[in-house]
Amino acid sequence: MKAALEIEDVSVYYGKRRALERVSVRVGEGEIVTLLGANGAGKSTVLRAVSGLVRPTGGRIVYAGRDITRWPADAIVAAGIGHVPEGRDIFPEFTVLDNLLVGGHTVARRELAGRLESAFELFPLLRERRRQPAGTLSGGEQQMLAMGRALVARPRLLLLDEPSLGLAPMLTREIFRVIRRINQSGVSVLLVEQNARRALGVAHRGYVLETGRLVVSGASRDLLEDQRVQTAYLGLRPPTEGAREGG
Ligand SMILES: Nc1ncnc2c1ncn2[C@@H]1O[C@H](COP(=O)(O)OP(=O)(O)O)[C@@H](O)[C@H]1O
Ligand SMILES: [Mg+2]
């Protein structure tokens, strides 16, 4: 499979503190790949490195065959990478529509209406609420807005940072359903999640990050069977312990 994204041996420091050590992640064209790990493992840093918000001290990032490691963030967006950050980063005082227009600031005027229309088709709720200040939306609706805003630029690769964080189960299901739909429309996805079970349910492959290093990777179905993943991220007990309790 052709690669949409290749992160090769990337290291990132915040000051003297190392956040990533030689991390390599590949997203094939048309794939959903998930990055799992505990709080502080470095997941968001991986996404920030891809979108040019932090600079790696080593390694490289290749997108659609081009080395984008040193590109400015706006050039990376223009090249087709959309980033929906942790915490969503919407402008609460702006209306829903104006927030979407922020995502469309690089889009040619004649294409804008069509782009907004596709965002509204994916999230009909945003159409109903388009004149409302974004700050009046619920957490789940704000997540939809953040995703809609990234999609207005029509990315080929979407970076999603904990889209289900803080959402009720019903909205979480809805968000994951939309992630699948976006992917089916041809967009490759790199998905950061703490909800490992759901993430592995939607992703083709996954990687597990622990304190800045990759520890396991593989097909989602294999990771769901992996004992380390089960114990650390799926809330299952090691089999020996379970057997002791059962007997
Ligand atoms: N702006 C920053 N300045 C200093 N340290 C940071 C900054 N952002 C993240 N870190 C640290 O880098 C590590 C990885 O953070 P992050 O990528 O946000 O992890 P995750 O998304 O997996 O929770 C953590 O130890 C975190 O405290
Ligand atoms: Mg994070």
Side-chain angles (χ1 to χ4, degrees):
M1 193 188 301
K2 244 176 94 178
L5 179 71
E6 288 168 291
I7 300 169
E8 295 172 356
D9 285 332
V10 161
S11 299
V12 171
Y13 284 76
Y14 292 109
K16 287 204 172 115
R17 198 201 155 100
R18 185 173 57 211
L20 296 180
E21 186 180 4
R22 304 189 69 126
V23 168
S24 298
V25 170
R26 186 179 188 282
V27 182
E29 259 180 27
E31 255 192 327
I32 303 180
V33 170
T34 187
L35 195 53
L36 305 172
N39 219 346
K43 305 179 298 297
S44 297
T45 301
V46 171
L47 300 192
R48 284 187 214 124
V50 173
S51 54
L53 302 176
V54 296
R55 292 294 168 200
T57 54
R60 53 178 213 147
I61 299 168
V62 178
Y63 165 67
R66 285 174 291 179
D67 186 335
I68 61 164
T69 319
R70 311 260 154 227
W71 286 23
D74 56 348
I76 293 172
V77 174
I81 299 183
H83 185 177
V84 184
E86 200 176 349
R88 291 134 205 180
D89 248 4
I90 61 154
F91 299 100
E93 315 283 320
F94 284 20
T95 63
V96 166
L97 185 60
D98 284 343
N99 271 277
L100 290 173
L101 289 173
V102 170
H105 76 280
T106 58
V107 176
R109 226 188 172 80
R110 63 179 187 287
E111 287 190 28
L112 206 47
R115 301 294 182 89
L116 290 174
E117 191 52 37
S118 353
F120 288 146
E121 263 166 37
L122 214 46
F123 302 108
L125 219 137
L126 296 182
R127 190 200 306 275
E128 290 166 32
R129 315 251 152 122
R130 66 188 180 283
R131 311 242 170 257
Q132 257 174 251
T136 64
L137 302 181
S138 74
E141 292 162 356
Q142 290 188 15
Q143 181 61 42
M144 291 176 190
L145 177 56
M147 288 170 68
R149 183 182 56 189
L151 290 169
V152 168
R154 203 153 288 175
R156 302 295 305 153
L157 170 69
L158 192 60
L159 313 174
L160 295 172
D161 202 344
E162 309 223 16
S164 78
L165 192 69
L167 302 191
M170 213 175 79
L171 273 164
T172 298
R173 272 196 298 278
E174 172 67 8
I175 291 290
F176 276 87
R177 193 185 61 76
V178 174
I179 292 171
R180 196 173 264 129
R181 249 187 85 186
I182 292 168
N183 175 247
Q184 283 164 352
S185 76
V187 179
S188 312
V189 178
L190 180 54
L191 167 69
V192 162
E193 261 292 337
Q194 286 205 25
N195 190 334
R197 198 179 301 277
R198 282 218 179 271
L200 290 171
V202 75
H204 303 99
R205 293 186 305 111
Y207 294 79
V208 178
L209 206 52
E210 274 175 22
T211 52
R213 296 178 199 197
L214 288 178
V215 288
V216 200
S217 69
S220 294
R221 76 179 83 82
D222 295 333
L223 291 180
L224 282 164
E225 298 294 317
D226 186 286
Q227 204 180 300
R228 285 165 297 183
V229 174
Q230 291 191 344
T231 314
Y233 305 104
L234 299 173
L236 300 175
R237 292 183 187 165
T240 48
E241 208 179 295
R244 253 199 326 272
E245 277 190 8

